[in-house]
Amino acid sequence: MTELGAEMHALVERLYPLCRSITGDGVRATLDIVGEYVPLQVHEVPTGTQVLDWTVPQEWNIRDAYVADATGRRVVDFAASSLHVLGYSVPVSATMPLAELRAHLHTLPDHPAWVPYRTSYYKPEWGFCLAQETLDALPDSEYEVRIDSTLADGHLTYAEHVVPGQVADEVIVSCHVCHPSLANDNLAGIAVATFLAQALAEQTPYYTYRFIYAPGTIGAITWLARNAERIDRVKHGLVLACAGDPGRLTYKESRRGDAEIDRVIRHVLAASERPHHVTEFTPYGYDERQYCSPGFNLGVGSLSRTPYAGYPEYHTSADNPDFVSPEAMADTLAVCREAFAVLDRNRQYTNLSPYGEPQLGRRGLYDALGGRSDTKQAQMAMLWVLNLSDGEHSLLDVAERSGLPFDTVAVAAGALQGAGLIKA
């Protein structure tokens, strides 16, 4: 996983300088790069389109922005970091004293060296974000203020990548592509999702896996509005965010709380003995709250490391590529792969010889276990699968009730099915 972690980190570094927002060319440039790793179907939804209770907003693009002192020196410069401009700032070209400018400046007094991330999506506004120590050093003087942006009718852009499965039932994997230079809260999730898609494409998964790269909130709402008629295909889902920081893994359950994805990830995290935390659903956070809104109520949970707003670097310039590690992203990716391996093999079986225990020895099933270091465990797995294969219990039920590893249970089920003792 070390090599994969390095490759994911390289993708984060490549995406980091781009100025993303809920619409605009930054999103398109991001998807162009992701499209070099996995093929994407890109969707453009026009401004003014009604999507559920929302309306697709005007498209925002920015070319340059700065605050310059009397000598012409840029004391705040968009070219140095996309965080320096309040997201969705309307155009401005003016000269004003510092006293007037202060109302449009955003800082973090508790972290004077960091630049905050701020937006004003749905209210016409303009502003700059800067370090408190930079603001403190500015003399009272006249400043040139320039934001070369456009806010006009255009499109909202999102993309999908589909890994075909053996069945049409879908697992969705969603990540947001709307934040500017924030490595953990945005880019690590994009990187893990992309490399997860690559890994699944090398297999023949049972489910069809649909990866959704969309702006936060409005993007997920748009996807749901455009897919409402086929939403019943979505059987499971996972939102990926904050996937690369050094904290322990955190899983936020779906609104249902007992959805299969909830049980699978709880099982995988517990069985792996990784440090982790499981939290109940709340209607605040990332796009799981859209997929889990009561009208849809999809079985979609959220996997992160330290949750949103749970670390000081959140939504600041300190959330840079140095804050995320290849090892953490590789670990998040590994959990996703382990969870989906369980999800793909979790079936209910029916015992075809349910009256008494069938003779396993004459079918060669005990002989097939010879020489295994876990022979006793494998034998117990066969007995548990036979006993609980009543058409009502899944292999995950067997693993949880028996305390046996899911892989051991799944292998036992395969052997029993091959011997004609159970059927799916």
Side-chain angles (χ1 to χ4, degrees):
M1 277 296 186
T2 303
E3 183 178 347
L4 281 178
E7 292 178 14
M8 286 188 284
H9 197 269
L11 176 56
V12 168
E13 290 182 313
R14 189 176 174 194
L15 294 173
Y16 183 76
L18 298 177
C19 182
R20 281 165 290 273
S21 188
I22 56 173
T23 62
D25 291 335
V27 174
R28 297 185 184 96
T30 298
L31 297 177
D32 284 345
I33 292 173
V34 172
E36 297 175 16
Y37 292 77
V38 292
L40 295 179
Q41 181 181 8
V42 178
H43 304 272
E44 298 277 4
V45 184
T47 296
T49 302
Q50 189 71 26
V51 286
L52 305 182
D53 193 47
W54 295 58
T55 303
V56 172
Q58 289 189 310
E59 181 176 327
W60 183 69
N61 285 294
I62 183 168
R63 287 162 290 278
D64 193 16
Y66 60 86
V67 176
D69 63 18
T71 70
R73 180 177 67 92
R74 295 189 176 193
V75 296
V76 184
D77 192 356
F78 170 76
S81 171
S82 59
L83 293 178
H84 277 310
V85 172
L86 178 78
Y88 254 63
S89 282
V90 297
V92 61
S93 181
T95 300
M96 63 185 67
L98 181 60
E100 181 181 345
L101 179 58
R102 281 182 181 274
H104 299 276
L105 300 180
H106 305 271
T107 64
L108 293 167
D110 291 341
H111 296 283
W114 297 355
V115 177
Y117 164 54
R118 299 286 185 268
T119 64
S120 182
Y121 293 143
Y122 302 105
K123 177 183 177 183
E125 184 58 271
W126 65 267
F128 290 87
C129 300
L130 67 160
Q132 181 67 46
E133 60 187 22
T134 300
L135 177 57
D136 291 343
L138 296 181
D140 286 328
S141 181
E142 294 286 313
Y143 290 88
E144 180 190 359
V145 179
R146 170 76 167 163
I147 297 179
D148 182 12
S149 64
T150 55
L151 191 59
D153 288 353
H155 296 81
L156 178 145
T157 309
Y158 72 91
E160 297 174 286
H161 170 76
V162 177
V163 180
Q166 299 171 39
V167 298
D169 290 346
E170 292 186 358
V171 179
I172 60 171
V173 180
S174 180
C175 57
H176 58 287
V177 295
C178 53
H179 287 10
S181 296
L182 299 173
N184 191 46
D185 181 21
N186 199 44
L187 300 181
I190 293 173
V192 170
T194 301
F195 280 77
L196 177 60
Q198 286 186 338
L200 288 170
E202 296 173 356
Q203 309 164 14
T204 306
Y206 177 74
Y207 288 107
T208 292
Y209 286 82
R210 183 177 300 274
F211 289 78
I212 303 168
Y213 299 85
T217 304
I218 186 64
I221 286 171
T222 299
W223 186 86
L224 286 164
R226 289 165 60 90
N227 291 273
E229 293 181 358
R230 52 180 300 282
I231 210 72
D232 59 334
R233 291 189 188 178
V234 178
K235 304 304 179 184
H236 319 282
L238 193 61
V239 172
L240 290 173
C242 301
D245 69 81
R248 64 181 176 176
L249 284 157
T250 299
Y251 178 68
K252 176 181 173 182
E253 296 172 335
S254 72
R255 179 178 180 270
R256 300 178 191 174
D258 61 349
E260 190 172 346
I261 189 69
D262 300 327
R263 296 181 58 210
V264 165
I265 294 197
R266 286 197 301 258
H267 176 81
V268 166
L269 289 173
S272 71
E273 299 184 347
R274 289 177 172 90
H276 69 276
H277 184 56
V278 176
T279 66
E280 294 182 348
F281 174 81
T282 65
Y284 182 76
Y286 289 113
D287 285 328
E288 68 278 357
R289 68 189 198 273
Q290 310 306 333
Y291 302 118
C292 293
S293 55
F296 295 109
N297 197 26
L298 298 175
V300 176
S302 176
L303 184 66
S304 62
R305 303 195 72 85
T306 307
Y308 53 86
Y311 51 98
E313 297 84 357
Y314 178 77
H315 280 193
T316 78
S317 57
D319 184 359
N320 57 47
D322 291 337
F323 180 63
V324 299
S325 72
E327 293 78 15
M329 284 188 285
D331 186 48
T332 307
L333 175 62
V335 169
C336 292
R337 295 184 68 174
E338 291 166 23
F340 288 165
V342 172
L343 199 64
D344 257 17
R345 292 177 293 166
N346 192 30
R347 305 277 186 283
Q348 291 181 344
Y349 289 88
T350 300
N351 189 333
L352 299 178
S353 183
Y355 299 101
E357 182 180 300
Q359 188 175 8
L360 302 181
R362 71 178 174 85
R363 292 177 170 85
L365 291 173
Y366 282 145
D367 294 340
L369 302 176
R372 287 179 54 154
S373 60
D374 62 344
T375 298
K376 181 64 175 177
Q377 193 178 63
Q379 289 176 349
M380 287 302 300
M382 285 190 182
L383 297 177
W384 272 109
V385 170
L386 283 169
N387 191 269
L388 292 181
S389 289
D390 52 8
E392 296 181 1
H393 292 85
S394 69
L395 294 186
L396 183 58
D397 292 325
V398 176
E400 290 179 339
R401 185 165 176 179
S402 67
L404 295 168
F406 182 90
D407 281 348
T408 303
V409 170
V411 169
L416 292 168
Q417 187 175 29
L421 288 172
I422 62 174
K423 70 174 182 178

